[in-house]
Amino acid sequence: MASAAEGDVGAVELSLNKLATSLGASEQALRLILSIFLGYPLALFYRRYLFYKESYLIHLFHTFTGLSIAYYNFGTQLYHSVLCIVLQFLILRLMGRTITAVLTTFCFQMAYLLAGYYYTATGNYDIKWTMPHCVLTLKLIGLAMDYFDGGKDQKSLSSEQQKYAIRGVPSLLEVAGFSYFYGAFLVGPQFSMNHYMKLVQGQLTDIPGKIPNSTIPALKRLSLGLFYLVGYTLLSPHITEDYLLTDDYENLHFMFRCMYMLVWGKFVLYKYVTCWLVTEGVCILTGLGFNDFDEHGKAKWDACANMKVWLFETNPRFTGTIASFNINTNAWVARYFFKRLKFLGNKVLSQGLSLLFLALWHGLHSGYLVCFQMEFLIVIVERQAASLIQDSPTLSSLASITVLKPFYYLVQQTIHWLFMGYSMTAFCLFTWDKWFKVYKSIYFLGHVFFLSLLFTLPYVRKAMVPRKEKLKKME
């Protein structure tokens, strides 16, 4: 009997491997995408049988399904998440609502994640237990901060902190259900404990007392995710980061090297877009995506949105891409890191430290640091350029010429995606020997271009902005 069961498991493994090979993907990647899609039948089961049931049953369902998904993808390595969740619960109970608990949580959870990166990282993109663990790390740090805020005088908190502050004392089962929720365990999105508890209590619905009318909004996000998945599957064999390292790429004309990087930089993000859209659909289906009503009384389902697709595809500015991409993670960093560095009294320094945190959160490879360093530089230069155009009568007049706007848009988008690809090169190639080789092949164009602008734009501003405009700006 045992040997027959082992044979069945082996046959499934072989079938998965064959299917993954035929799709041009790894077996781990196929397991991941299957696990993400599994969220839909689980969400339907939850809607049908558990939506208004006792809280402990819902927590148990989320914990059991999340653990099962973790075991399917990572086997016994799921103990990493179990250990961190249990220890986090003990930190909250034993240290209480103290700054010591917050600092202990931050140091322990980040150290555990970074140690995981150190012992498992290779020079390639591997799907290991550290992938969902980075999502879990932010969840648990946010949980500790919200619990700490729950012990403060409400008047001393900002309106945002009041919204997320945890007044009660979470049980281990509640923390586990929150951490292992199947719609977000693997790739996000981030959401607060308070929002999760509203789901469990049946409050996240557009029809009070009834199951949310969210099937159509969920299917829309699923359909959009499938569209990106098909596009990525068809194009991924032909547009790869590996080609950037080949002699063929290096022998291309400089302009063709840049154009390949531009196209690849746009395309490589589609795998993230796919995962986030599909998981958002799961969250909407359960009700977790409910975000109150708009001014017209129409239900909003964007509480778990990680993508603003139209903004992502059409906005010609880097800040537009940042605002449309990985929204919940960016919101988490803003809420729990950037805004809590207010005591530094310097927005640029706070932003730089936030990006450094994000780089380390992604991993220990030098490519992450280079990518987020480029983002920091590009955003500063883009803001300087936008301010210059706005304050200079000559440049603002040129920018307002209607017939030239399509040309401006094309130039902006070309610069935007070329240097997005430039930044993503370091992010996706990880190690310095790889990204350095590619950057060298295009003469470090991104660094040269934006560092030159950083130092020359102040002089251009001095020449093109009238003194009265400068005085107004100072006032």
Side-chain angles (χ1 to χ4, degrees), residues 97-396:
R97 303 177 189 274
T98 62
I99 192 66
T100 304
V102 172
L103 293 176
T104 301
T105 295
F106 186 87
C107 293
F108 170 73
Q109 298 295 353
M110 281 300 294
Y112 199 98
L113 176 65
L114 295 178
Y117 286 144
Y118 179 80
Y119 286 108
T120 65
T122 67
N124 300 308
Y125 184 79
D126 298 312
I127 297 175
K128 296 189 176 79
W129 65 266
T130 51
M131 186 195 69
H133 202 86
C134 69
V135 177
L136 178 64
T137 298
L138 295 192
K139 270 189 180 180
L140 297 179
I141 292 173
L143 173 65
M145 290 188 174
D146 290 337
Y147 188 65
F148 172 67
D149 288 342
K152 291 182 177 180
D153 180 5
Q154 194 165 356
K155 294 178 182 177
S156 68
L157 302 176
S158 68
S159 58
E160 184 180 52
Q161 289 171 337
Q162 290 176 25
K163 177 182 177 182
Y164 295 106
I166 298 170
R167 301 295 173 185
V169 182
S171 68
L172 178 58
L173 187 57
E174 288 171 343
V175 174
F178 164 67
S179 301
Y180 281 116
F181 173 69
Y182 53 86
F185 171 69
L186 288 173
V187 295
Q190 293 293 331
F191 51 87
S192 70
M193 183 66 160
N194 281 353
H195 194 68
Y196 169 75
M197 291 304 293
K198 287 180 180 178
L199 173 73
V200 174
Q201 293 157 8
Q203 298 177 23
L204 296 182
T205 175
D206 57 331
I207 314 170
K210 295 184 179 180
I211 294 171
N213 187 28
S214 59
T215 305
I216 299 301
L219 289 176
K220 285 181 179 178
R221 300 311 271 180
L222 172 61
S223 300
L224 198 53
L226 288 172
F227 173 78
Y228 276 97
L229 176 62
V230 170
Y232 182 79
T233 303
L234 292 175
L235 292 173
S236 57
H238 310 290
I239 307 174
T240 68
E241 57 262 30
D242 292 337
Y243 183 70
L244 294 168
L245 298 168
T246 62
D247 292 335
D248 286 346
Y249 176 77
E250 202 164 349
N251 292 330
L252 291 173
H253 187 276
F254 175 74
M255 290 301 297
F256 286 107
R257 273 177 271 161
C258 291
M259 288 306 299
Y260 184 89
M261 184 174 285
L262 183 154
V263 174
W264 170 81
K266 176 79 171 179
F267 161 77
V268 73
L269 296 176
Y270 284 0
K271 60 184 175 184
Y272 304 105
V273 176
T274 296
C275 291
W276 290 333
L277 288 172
V278 174
T279 53
E280 184 190 346
V282 174
C283 293
I284 292 172
L285 195 58
T286 62
L288 193 71
F290 181 65
N291 195 21
D292 213 336
F293 299 90
D294 62 19
E295 61 273 15
H296 304 295
K298 185 178 179 181
K300 295 186 293 182
W301 298 101
D302 59 354
C304 294
N306 242 347
M307 284 298 305
K308 294 180 180 177
V309 175
W310 182 254
L311 182 66
F312 173 77
E313 294 291 357
T314 61
N315 195 285
R317 297 178 62 172
F318 291 91
T319 48
T321 298
I322 293 168
S324 67
F325 189 82
N326 207 0
I327 298 168
N328 275 288
T329 301
N330 292 334
W332 188 99
V333 173
R335 182 163 65 246
Y336 296 110
F337 202 90
F338 175 79
K339 291 178 182 178
R340 292 177 191 252
L341 294 177
K342 190 177 180 180
F343 67 91
L344 294 175
N346 188 312
K347 273 192 174 182
V348 175
L349 178 59
S350 296
Q351 185 182 10
L353 290 173
S354 298
L355 289 173
L356 176 61
F357 169 77
L358 267 178
L360 290 173
W361 175 70
H362 278 89
L364 296 174
H365 289 302
S366 60
Y368 295 128
L369 290 170
V370 172
C371 175
F372 285 101
Q373 164 266 313
M374 277 303 302
E375 178 184 324
F376 187 49
L377 174 62
I378 290 169
V379 167
I380 290 174
V381 171
E382 187 174 71
R383 286 173 181 166
Q384 285 184 351
S387 176
L388 172 62
I389 293 169
Q390 181 181 345
D391 295 340
S392 168
T394 304
L395 293 178
S396 58

Side-chain angles (χ1 to χ4, degrees), residues 431-470:
T431 57
W432 76 269
D433 56 318
K434 292 180 180 179
W435 59 256
F436 188 89
K437 178 183 178 182
V438 179
Y439 281 176
K440 185 180 177 183
S441 72
I442 57 169
Y443 314 112
F444 291 88
L445 180 63
H447 287 84
V448 172
F449 182 76
F450 283 101
L451 285 172
S452 299
L453 286 176
L454 181 68
F455 291 111
T456 58
L457 282 177
Y459 295 101
V460 176
R461 183 178 182 84
K462 190 178 289 187
M464 301 200 70
V465 177
R467 184 169 176 78
K468 61 181 181 180
E469 293 294 331
K470 295 174 187 173

Side-chain angles (χ1 to χ4, degrees), residues 15-35:
S15 299
L16 270 177
N17 191 270
K18 284 183 177 180
L19 179 58
T21 303
S22 66
L23 294 172
S26 66
E27 185 180 332
Q28 294 96 327
L30 184 58
R31 283 179 184 271
L32 174 68
I33 199 68
L34 289 174
S35 300

